[in-house]
Amino acid sequence: ITLTCGEVLGFTVDSLDYTNGETGACEISGSVPGTLTGTFDECGGSQTITWEFTDDCGRTINHTQTITIEPAPQAQFINPPGSIALSCDEAQNFTVNDLSYTNNETGVCEISGSVPGTPAGSFDECGGTQTITWTFTDDCGRTITHTQSITIDPAPPAQFINPPGSITLSCD
């Protein structure tokens, strides 16, 4: 069978019934517990359940079930920021925050945490653009990336401070 990472967390190994279809003194019937082996993690894996029974005559029967475990869902960023425009002054004080991610699973199937953003680009008094990129690669080799674009508006034009007003002077 194939199970998702989340399904295998609630999976139980049942006993397996056996019989030879006879009755009375010739009957051989009962149940035997299974033995679970193998491993899995958030990247998937495989396990086997083996049931084995040996009767009083020394005859052994066995059955093996293979369980393929699919990888947990890939994580996604939580509320990634959209593109924004900032004034020149706002851009000087802008801070890059970590961005959280999760796959909304639990236990061994959980993939969650946060990553820092990497800023790129430049601006000056004439404006500019920057990007912030957050990238996360899980233990399964799957990568998620989010990029925020930031447009920085030019600074307001300079103005003279207390410019002198027009005056009329005499020749002297």
Side-chain angles (χ1 to χ4, degrees):
I1 62 173
T2 299
L3 299 174
T4 65
C5 190
E7 289 171 335
V8 79
L9 294 177
F11 185 78
T12 58
V13 177
D14 295 324
S15 292
L16 188 59
D17 296 333
Y18 59 87
T19 185
N20 66 350
E22 298 288 320
T23 61
C26 297
E27 179 181 5
I28 303 172
S29 65
S31 65
V32 63
T35 303
L36 181 67
T37 59
T39 62
F40 73 97
D41 59 18
E42 72 274 13
C43 300
S46 67
Q47 294 184 313
T48 58
I49 304 171
T50 303
W51 294 270
E52 186 171 284
F53 169 72
T54 303
D55 67 16
D56 292 340
C57 304
R59 299 173 293 193
T60 300
I61 59 172
N62 61 52
H63 177 73
T64 301
Q65 179 184 35
T66 301
I67 304 168
T68 301
I69 299 136
E70 296 175 335
Q74 187 171 0
Q76 300 296 320
F77 286 116
I78 302 169
N79 298 322
S83 298
I84 58 172
L86 299 175
S87 69
C88 188
D89 193 44
E90 290 170 329
Q92 293 181 86
N93 300 313
F94 184 78
T95 57
V96 177
N97 295 317
D98 290 353
L99 189 55
S100 297
Y101 57 87
T102 185
N103 68 347
N104 295 315
E105 295 287 322
T106 60
V108 70
C109 301
E110 178 180 9
I111 302 170
S112 64
S114 62
V115 291
T118 303
S122 63
F123 71 96
D124 58 20
E125 70 277 7
C126 300
T129 58
Q130 290 190 312
T131 59
I132 301 171
T133 302
W134 293 269
T135 301
F136 168 71
T137 302
D138 66 18
D139 292 339
C140 309
R142 302 174 296 187
T143 299
I144 57 173
T145 301
H146 177 72
T147 301
Q148 178 185 34
S149 297
I150 302 171
T151 301
I152 295 104
D153 296 329
Q159 298 190 11
F160 288 112
I161 302 170
N162 298 323
S166 296
I167 59 173
T168 302
L169 296 176
S170 67
C171 190
D172 278 343

